[in-house]
Amino acid sequence: MSGSEIIDYAVLIPLLPFLAFPVILFLGRLFNGTPTWVKNVKEGGIIALVVMGASLILALSVIREYMNKVGAADVFTWFEASWWNSGNGEITTKVFGFGVYIDHLTVMLLFVAAFLCFLINIFSIGYMNTDPINDNRNHRFYAEFVLFCSGMLGMVLADSFLWLFIFWELMGLCSYLLIGFYYERPSAAYAAKKAFLTTRVGDVFLVIGLVILWNLFGGTLDYDVLFKPDNIANVDSGELQLALGMIFIGAVGKSAQFPLHVWLPDAMEGPTPVSALIHAATMVNAGLYIVARMFPFFSAADMGALSTLAIIIAIIGGITAVMAALIAFVQMDLKKVLAYSTMSQLAYIFTGLGSALWLANNGYDELAAFAMGASLFHLFNHAMAKGMLFMASGSVIHEMHHAHHEVAHHGHGDDHHDDHHDDHFDAQSMENMGGLASRMPITATAMFVGSMSIIGIPLIGGFWSKEGIIASAWKVALKEPIFLLPAMLILIGAGMTGFYMSRMWFMTFAGKPKTEVAEHVHEQTPWIPIPLVVLTFMTLAAIIFAGMHAGHWLGDFESGHYTSFVDGIGYEMEHVFLNHDPFLMVLTYVAIGLSLVLGPSFAMALYGGGLDKGQKAKPWMQWAIDLSAKINSKSNFDNSAWANSSLANSLHKRLHFDDIYDAAIMKIVVGFANLSAIFDSRFIDGVIKTIESTSQQASRRLRALTTGSARDYIMMTAIGTLAIFMLLWGVA
């Protein structure tokens, strides 16, 4: 298949899952409950898997062919419209279709979305189809799942902001449906509405920004027009900054950044595969993607014209990074710790993007490319690690429910092991876990590697990219003093990340089991371990990607292939650990000290401990458990004062942002709805009822004239004719 043929088939990447949506829904309604549909087709899971596998293969083909090419290509035309232009006397033709835009950003996110959607699909078959509560409705889950994946894949491939917005809204709809999958539960229904309304706030501003862009660039939102330096130079920089600022607010809502962050923790009400989908593969990355798409505007605009917006992006990221990390300190729900971790790590990427945009807009092209590359590389590393962490958390919760059923029902065979039962046992609470490292070795290993990547442990996953973001922020801070705020916040956040991620792992997998249920946990569900193993190796392989200068390649959209690993790894190691700039070298070791030593040490002192006698973890984890037991036994640190403090109480209440949200909804939205209802009943209905009554009265009077007498009809005809004659005579 030639290159031209590959790009022709690129439209199938989002189209296949889009078409699978109605197919799975229809077949599910038709065959629900039948043995073949349940056991062989997995209630639509196999159909979704085949479709997502096909999309992944097509995506890899496009990536392989177009890694070094940048540009737009029309691959699917809906229709053409032509009209006569009286101004120039020519016929104007407009083609309406879906096109593909290829650059390094497209390539990276296309792989992330297609690859993770495929793995989450595998995980879903093991998670959703072994839970009786999902019987006869899994078809709805898989239908909404593939539609969600279609939205993300389409958004990444789109060649215009218009198509990006269409797929953006498609994801918004699917997030509402999937978060509220268990709609019979009030908390799930509330979470779905909360996510929908909060993200819609951002989307309103996004639409405003796109309208301004449309006006600035002569009625188009196509990338190949918008990204041309000459076109950017001809528009007003103030209006451009306003448009991009509006678009950024949309990104804040989608990626759950302060102050539109309140929806993300509650999104955990959806099934765990949905959490992995939203937090790793699709939803939250969309906001980052649209900010990264702004890069050409900043690099081509007047010197410093857009700097204010870049600073705002970085500050929002810095604030969110620390705020989310603080709230994660006190969370006991395993999935919510990961939710706040997502917010914090996305905030790192926003800070990195803000740094890149500032550097690009102020003429520091080489530094801007480095910052952009580090940010996008961290997006990749975070997606791999966080997808693995959410699926690992789902594995823990799944087996905790199964063990709880065994304990509660003494092995009677009715498998109710989902994450939403109506009993008092909380299978998601880390207070009910402990000692699982020996009982769930695959899951524990995956969570161990994923946590190290998020923390930024040297040579593991996110280390390579996080250090680049911190260095870039401080490089900008040395040139622009106001950048000291986000630079300092993300440096502090490195130590905070080390604490809450270590706390999560030790509370779950180290120490002795805190409940009888935890003593009976063991890995037994097929399908679930497969994506965990794959993503573990992908996270560990980050050193290979770093050695191949992935960060540099992602930052320079016009560059060629990676360099060789052998040449690159030595350069990266020297750049990180023996930087020629003394300030950056000290900064690196400070960040490593905070994330590797300070944060984990506090977590070990408070939550570490050895396993039960006779229990052993795998060697690559056992050393950490033994170290935590030693530090914990020698530590006399009492955190009761902290635990009972007003700050801790505020953190438990999420810094009261949810209270503010609820008040705003009740007083503003509900109040407006009530006023609308009053206006509707008193004014709209009043006008309609008046017209109705008047019409009825006129009808009754007219009906009274219909006597059935020919004489009366002749008289009425004569009068009407005379009236028309008089009217015409008067006009003449």
mmCIF file of all heavy atoms in Angstrom, residues 195-227:
data_model
loop_
_atom_site.group_PDB
_atom_site.id
_atom_site.type_symbol
_atom_site.label_atom_id
_atom_site.label_comp_id
_atom_site.label_asym_id
_atom_site.label_seq_id
_atom_site.Cartn_x
_atom_site.Cartn_y
_atom_site.Cartn_z
ATOM 1 N N ALA A 195 -20.022 16.665 35.540
ATOM 2 C CA ALA A 195 -19.001 16.664 34.494
ATOM 3 C C ALA A 195 -19.504 17.376 33.249
ATOM 4 O O ALA A 195 -18.781 18.167 32.629
ATOM 5 C CB ALA A 195 -18.596 15.228 34.167
ATOM 6 N N PHE A 196 -20.739 17.105 32.872
ATOM 7 C CA PHE A 196 -21.302 17.700 31.658
ATOM 8 C C PHE A 196 -21.411 19.216 31.786
ATOM 9 O O PHE A 196 -20.987 19.952 30.884
ATOM 10 C CB PHE A 196 -22.679 17.093 31.382
ATOM 11 C CG PHE A 196 -23.257 17.470 30.054
ATOM 12 C CD1 PHE A 196 -22.856 16.822 28.903
ATOM 13 C CD2 PHE A 196 -24.197 18.477 29.952
ATOM 14 C CE1 PHE A 196 -23.398 17.170 27.661
ATOM 15 C CE2 PHE A 196 -24.735 18.838 28.726
ATOM 16 C CZ PHE A 196 -24.331 18.177 27.581
ATOM 17 N N LEU A 197 -21.960 19.700 32.900
ATOM 18 C CA LEU A 197 -22.157 21.133 33.073
ATOM 19 C C LEU A 197 -20.833 21.878 33.214
ATOM 20 O O LEU A 197 -20.653 22.960 32.651
ATOM 21 C CB LEU A 197 -23.041 21.397 34.295
ATOM 22 C CG LEU A 197 -24.516 20.986 34.160
ATOM 23 C CD1 LEU A 197 -25.236 21.156 35.488
ATOM 24 C CD2 LEU A 197 -25.204 21.801 33.076
ATOM 25 N N THR A 198 -19.896 21.296 33.967
ATOM 26 C CA THR A 198 -18.614 21.969 34.190
ATOM 27 C C THR A 198 -17.832 22.101 32.893
ATOM 28 O O THR A 198 -17.290 23.167 32.587
ATOM 29 C CB THR A 198 -17.776 21.206 35.232
ATOM 30 O OG1 THR A 198 -18.533 21.019 36.426
ATOM 31 C CG2 THR A 198 -16.521 21.985 35.571
ATOM 32 N N THR A 199 -17.766 21.031 32.126
ATOM 33 C CA THR A 199 -17.047 21.101 30.854
ATOM 34 C C THR A 199 -17.764 21.975 29.839
ATOM 35 O O THR A 199 -17.120 22.585 28.983
ATOM 36 C CB THR A 199 -16.829 19.694 30.278
ATOM 37 O OG1 THR A 199 -18.078 18.998 30.197
ATOM 38 C CG2 THR A 199 -15.882 18.894 31.163
ATOM 39 N N ARG A 200 -19.102 22.060 29.938
ATOM 40 C CA ARG A 200 -19.840 22.939 29.026
ATOM 41 C C ARG A 200 -19.511 24.402 29.298
ATOM 42 O O ARG A 200 -19.544 25.231 28.378
ATOM 43 C CB ARG A 200 -21.348 22.732 29.149
ATOM 44 C CG ARG A 200 -21.899 21.412 28.672
ATOM 45 C CD ARG A 200 -21.806 21.158 27.181
ATOM 46 N NE ARG A 200 -20.502 20.745 26.735
ATOM 47 C CZ ARG A 200 -19.932 19.560 27.020
ATOM 48 N NH1 ARG A 200 -20.545 18.673 27.747
ATOM 49 N NH2 ARG A 200 -18.732 19.281 26.562
ATOM 50 N N VAL A 201 -19.213 24.744 30.543
ATOM 51 C CA VAL A 201 -18.798 26.119 30.851
ATOM 52 C C VAL A 201 -17.562 26.467 30.029
ATOM 53 O O VAL A 201 -17.492 27.532 29.392
ATOM 54 C CB VAL A 201 -18.521 26.281 32.359
ATOM 55 C CG1 VAL A 201 -17.875 27.637 32.636
ATOM 56 C CG2 VAL A 201 -19.805 26.144 33.156
ATOM 57 N N GLY A 202 -16.591 25.572 30.039
ATOM 58 C CA GLY A 202 -15.405 25.804 29.229
ATOM 59 C C GLY A 202 -15.706 25.820 27.745
ATOM 60 O O GLY A 202 -15.115 26.606 26.990
ATOM 61 N N ASP A 203 -16.628 24.970 27.316
ATOM 62 C CA ASP A 203 -16.946 24.868 25.889
ATOM 63 C C ASP A 203 -17.597 26.135 25.346
ATOM 64 O O ASP A 203 -17.444 26.460 24.160
ATOM 65 C CB ASP A 203 -17.850 23.669 25.636
ATOM 66 C CG ASP A 203 -17.127 22.348 25.834
ATOM 67 O OD1 ASP A 203 -15.905 22.386 26.088
ATOM 68 O OD2 ASP A 203 -17.773 21.298 25.756
ATOM 69 N N VAL A 204 -18.350 26.844 26.175
ATOM 70 C CA VAL A 204 -18.936 28.119 25.749
ATOM 71 C C VAL A 204 -17.830 29.094 25.352
ATOM 72 O O VAL A 204 -17.892 29.751 24.297
ATOM 73 C CB VAL A 204 -19.819 28.719 26.859
ATOM 74 C CG1 VAL A 204 -20.225 30.149 26.510
ATOM 75 C CG2 VAL A 204 -21.058 27.869 27.077
ATOM 76 N N PHE A 205 -16.805 29.176 26.180
ATOM 77 C CA PHE A 205 -15.679 30.052 25.868
ATOM 78 C C PHE A 205 -14.903 29.545 24.650
ATOM 79 O O PHE A 205 -14.390 30.329 23.851
ATOM 80 C CB PHE A 205 -14.755 30.160 27.084
ATOM 81 C CG PHE A 205 -15.341 30.952 28.208
ATOM 82 C CD1 PHE A 205 -15.993 30.311 29.254
ATOM 83 C CD2 PHE A 205 -15.257 32.334 28.228
ATOM 84 C CE1 PHE A 205 -16.546 31.039 30.300
ATOM 85 C CE2 PHE A 205 -15.809 33.073 29.269
ATOM 86 C CZ PHE A 205 -16.451 32.423 30.302
ATOM 87 N N LEU A 206 -14.809 28.235 24.513
ATOM 88 C CA LEU A 206 -14.145 27.658 23.348
ATOM 89 C C LEU A 206 -14.839 28.094 22.059
ATOM 90 O O LEU A 206 -14.170 28.481 21.089
ATOM 91 C CB LEU A 206 -14.129 26.128 23.461
ATOM 92 C CG LEU A 206 -13.628 25.349 22.236
ATOM 93 C CD1 LEU A 206 -12.191 25.722 21.898
ATOM 94 C CD2 LEU A 206 -13.733 23.843 22.485
ATOM 95 N N VAL A 207 -16.156 28.052 22.046
ATOM 96 C CA VAL A 207 -16.910 28.477 20.861
ATOM 97 C C VAL A 207 -16.649 29.949 20.561
ATOM 98 O O VAL A 207 -16.452 30.336 19.398
ATOM 99 C CB VAL A 207 -18.420 28.222 21.062
ATOM 100 C CG1 VAL A 207 -19.231 28.884 19.949
ATOM 101 C CG2 VAL A 207 -18.707 26.734 21.099
ATOM 102 N N ILE A 208 -16.647 30.778 21.609
ATOM 103 C CA ILE A 208 -16.371 32.206 21.418
ATOM 104 C C ILE A 208 -14.994 32.404 20.785
ATOM 105 O O ILE A 208 -14.816 33.193 19.850
ATOM 106 C CB ILE A 208 -16.466 32.959 22.761
ATOM 107 C CG1 ILE A 208 -17.905 32.914 23.294
ATOM 108 C CG2 ILE A 208 -15.999 34.412 22.602
ATOM 109 C CD1 ILE A 208 -18.041 33.458 24.710
ATOM 110 N N GLY A 209 -13.996 31.672 21.294
ATOM 111 C CA GLY A 209 -12.652 31.775 20.748
ATOM 112 C C GLY A 209 -12.582 31.355 19.294
ATOM 113 O O GLY A 209 -11.913 31.998 18.474
ATOM 114 N N LEU A 210 -13.280 30.282 18.935
ATOM 115 C CA LEU A 210 -13.275 29.808 17.555
ATOM 116 C C LEU A 210 -13.969 30.802 16.623
ATOM 117 O O LEU A 210 -13.542 30.992 15.477
ATOM 118 C CB LEU A 210 -13.953 28.438 17.470
ATOM 119 C CG LEU A 210 -13.217 27.277 18.168
ATOM 120 C CD1 LEU A 210 -13.992 25.978 18.013
ATOM 121 C CD2 LEU A 210 -11.799 27.125 17.648
ATOM 122 N N VAL A 211 -15.030 31.439 17.096
ATOM 123 C CA VAL A 211 -15.719 32.456 16.298
ATOM 124 C C VAL A 211 -14.792 33.639 16.026
ATOM 125 O O VAL A 211 -14.737 34.166 14.904
ATOM 126 C CB VAL A 211 -17.013 32.926 16.989
ATOM 127 C CG1 VAL A 211 -17.593 34.152 16.288
ATOM 128 C CG2 VAL A 211 -18.034 31.802 17.016
ATOM 129 N N ILE A 212 -14.032 34.046 17.041
ATOM 130 C CA ILE A 212 -13.077 35.144 16.859
ATOM 131 C C ILE A 212 -12.005 34.743 15.850
ATOM 132 O O ILE A 212 -11.622 35.534 14.977
ATOM 133 C CB ILE A 212 -12.451 35.550 18.207
ATOM 134 C CG1 ILE A 212 -13.525 36.075 19.160
ATOM 135 C CG2 ILE A 212 -11.389 36.632 17.992
ATOM 136 C CD1 ILE A 212 -13.014 36.355 20.564
ATOM 137 N N LEU A 213 -11.484 33.518 15.962
ATOM 138 C CA LEU A 213 -10.498 33.035 15.000
ATOM 139 C C LEU A 213 -11.074 33.025 13.589
ATOM 140 O O LEU A 213 -10.411 33.408 12.617
ATOM 141 C CB LEU A 213 -10.026 31.623 15.377
ATOM 142 C CG LEU A 213 -8.896 31.464 16.377
ATOM 143 C CD1 LEU A 213 -8.505 29.988 16.491
ATOM 144 C CD2 LEU A 213 -7.673 32.290 15.992
ATOM 145 N N TRP A 214 -12.304 32.566 13.451
ATOM 146 C CA TRP A 214 -12.991 32.534 12.160
ATOM 147 C C TRP A 214 -13.029 33.927 11.532
ATOM 148 O O TRP A 214 -12.753 34.087 10.344
ATOM 149 C CB TRP A 214 -14.402 31.975 12.360
ATOM 150 C CG TRP A 214 -15.269 31.975 11.128
ATOM 151 C CD1 TRP A 214 -15.936 33.047 10.580
ATOM 152 C CD2 TRP A 214 -15.591 30.856 10.312
ATOM 153 N NE1 TRP A 214 -16.644 32.657 9.488
ATOM 154 C CE2 TRP A 214 -16.461 31.320 9.271
ATOM 155 C CE3 TRP A 214 -15.250 29.513 10.337
ATOM 156 C CZ2 TRP A 214 -16.965 30.470 8.305
ATOM 157 C CZ3 TRP A 214 -15.761 28.665 9.354
ATOM 158 C CH2 TRP A 214 -16.602 29.155 8.368
ATOM 159 N N ASN A 215 -13.348 34.890 12.344
ATOM 160 C CA ASN A 215 -13.424 36.264 11.855
ATOM 161 C C ASN A 215 -12.044 36.813 11.513
ATOM 162 O O ASN A 215 -11.875 37.523 10.510
ATOM 163 C CB ASN A 215 -14.104 37.143 12.905
ATOM 164 C CG ASN A 215 -14.285 38.578 12.448
ATOM 165 O OD1 ASN A 215 -14.967 38.852 11.475
ATOM 166 N ND2 ASN A 215 -13.634 39.500 13.158
ATOM 167 N N LEU A 216 -11.035 36.497 12.333
ATOM 168 C CA LEU A 216 -9.691 37.017 12.113
ATOM 169 C C LEU A 216 -9.067 36.494 10.825
ATOM 170 O O LEU A 216 -8.347 37.208 10.128
ATOM 171 C CB LEU A 216 -8.791 36.669 13.301
ATOM 172 C CG LEU A 216 -8.933 37.501 14.574
ATOM 173 C CD1 LEU A 216 -8.063 36.925 15.686
ATOM 174 C CD2 LEU A 216 -8.556 38.955 14.324
ATOM 175 N N PHE A 217 -9.342 35.229 10.505
ATOM 176 C CA PHE A 217 -8.676 34.586 9.377
ATOM 177 C C PHE A 217 -9.582 34.424 8.161
ATOM 178 O O PHE A 217 -9.414 33.498 7.360
ATOM 179 C CB PHE A 217 -8.106 33.239 9.808
ATOM 180 C CG PHE A 217 -6.914 33.355 10.716
ATOM 181 C CD1 PHE A 217 -7.074 33.408 12.095
ATOM 182 C CD2 PHE A 217 -5.637 33.426 10.195
ATOM 183 C CE1 PHE A 217 -5.977 33.524 12.926
ATOM 184 C CE2 PHE A 217 -4.542 33.535 11.028
ATOM 185 C CZ PHE A 217 -4.700 33.595 12.399
ATOM 186 N N GLY A 218 -10.555 35.312 8.027
ATOM 187 C CA GLY A 218 -11.330 35.379 6.803
ATOM 188 C C GLY A 218 -12.303 34.248 6.576
ATOM 189 O O GLY A 218 -12.494 33.795 5.435
ATOM 190 N N GLY A 219 -12.923 33.749 7.631
ATOM 191 C CA GLY A 219 -13.963 32.748 7.484
ATOM 192 C C GLY A 219 -13.484 31.328 7.312
ATOM 193 O O GLY A 219 -14.091 30.530 6.588
ATOM 194 N N THR A 220 -12.391 30.955 7.955
ATOM 195 C CA THR A 220 -11.899 29.582 7.908
ATOM 196 C C THR A 220 -11.258 29.212 9.243
ATOM 197 O O THR A 220 -10.744 30.075 9.960
ATOM 198 C CB THR A 220 -10.886 29.379 6.775
ATOM 199 O OG1 THR A 220 -10.504 27.987 6.721
ATOM 200 C CG2 THR A 220 -9.645 30.221 6.997
ATOM 201 N N LEU A 221 -11.300 27.920 9.555
ATOM 202 C CA LEU A 221 -10.627 27.388 10.738
ATOM 203 C C LEU A 221 -9.666 26.266 10.358
ATOM 204 O O LEU A 221 -9.234 25.500 11.225
ATOM 205 C CB LEU A 221 -11.657 26.869 11.755
ATOM 206 C CG LEU A 221 -12.536 27.935 12.430
ATOM 207 C CD1 LEU A 221 -13.616 27.279 13.301
ATOM 208 C CD2 LEU A 221 -11.687 28.877 13.299
ATOM 209 N N ASP A 222 -9.309 26.169 9.079
ATOM 210 C CA ASP A 222 -8.398 25.131 8.606
ATOM 211 C C ASP A 222 -6.970 25.411 9.088
ATOM 212 O O ASP A 222 -6.481 26.534 8.997
ATOM 213 C CB ASP A 222 -8.414 25.042 7.087
ATOM 214 C CG ASP A 222 -9.755 24.552 6.562
ATOM 215 O OD1 ASP A 222 -10.540 23.995 7.348
ATOM 216 O OD2 ASP A 222 -10.010 24.731 5.342
ATOM 217 N N TYR A 223 -6.297 24.361 9.552
ATOM 218 C CA TYR A 223 -4.943 24.524 10.056
ATOM 219 C C TYR A 223 -3.984 25.053 8.998
ATOM 220 O O TYR A 223 -3.102 25.875 9.299
ATOM 221 C CB TYR A 223 -4.396 23.183 10.578
ATOM 222 C CG TYR A 223 -5.108 22.629 11.787
ATOM 223 C CD1 TYR A 223 -5.062 21.262 12.066
ATOM 224 C CD2 TYR A 223 -5.822 23.436 12.653
ATOM 225 C CE1 TYR A 223 -5.691 20.727 13.175
ATOM 226 C CE2 TYR A 223 -6.474 22.920 13.761
ATOM 227 C CZ TYR A 223 -6.397 21.558 14.013
ATOM 228 O OH TYR A 223 -7.025 21.022 15.107
ATOM 229 N N ASP A 224 -4.111 24.571 7.760
ATOM 230 C CA ASP A 224 -3.152 24.968 6.735
ATOM 231 C C ASP A 224 -3.246 26.449 6.405
ATOM 232 O O ASP A 224 -2.314 27.024 5.837
ATOM 233 C CB ASP A 224 -3.309 24.126 5.471
ATOM 234 C CG ASP A 224 -4.698 24.223 4.877
ATOM 235 O OD1 ASP A 224 -5.624 24.665 5.594
ATOM 236 O OD2 ASP A 224 -4.863 23.851 3.694
ATOM 237 N N VAL A 225 -4.355 27.095 6.761
ATOM 238 C CA VAL A 225 -4.493 28.542 6.598
ATOM 239 C C VAL A 225 -4.080 29.259 7.879
ATOM 240 O O VAL A 225 -3.312 30.218 7.851
ATOM 241 C CB VAL A 225 -5.939 28.920 6.219
ATOM 242 C CG1 VAL A 225 -6.082 30.437 6.142
ATOM 243 C CG2 VAL A 225 -6.319 28.284 4.886
ATOM 244 N N LEU A 226 -4.579 28.788 9.003
ATOM 245 C CA LEU A 226 -4.335 29.448 10.283
ATOM 246 C C LEU A 226 -2.869 29.419 10.692
ATOM 247 O O LEU A 226 -2.384 30.360 11.334
ATOM 248 C CB LEU A 226 -5.176 28.804 11.393
ATOM 249 C CG LEU A 226 -6.555 29.425 11.668
ATOM 250 C CD1 LEU A 226 -7.433 29.389 10.431
ATOM 251 C CD2 LEU A 226 -7.247 28.684 12.822
ATOM 252 N N PHE A 227 -2.143 28.370 10.353
ATOM 253 C CA PHE A 227 -0.778 28.206 10.835
ATOM 254 C C PHE A 227 0.274 28.830 9.926
ATOM 255 O O PHE A 227 1.473 28.737 10.225
ATOM 256 C CB PHE A 227 -0.460 26.719 11.030
ATOM 257 C CG PHE A 227 -1.260 26.062 12.124
ATOM 258 C CD1 PHE A 227 -1.365 24.681 12.198
ATOM 259 C CD2 PHE A 227 -1.913 26.816 13.077
ATOM 260 C CE1 PHE A 227 -2.103 24.075 13.204
ATOM 261 C CE2 PHE A 227 -2.656 26.216 14.095
ATOM 262 C CZ PHE A 227 -2.751 24.850 14.150
#
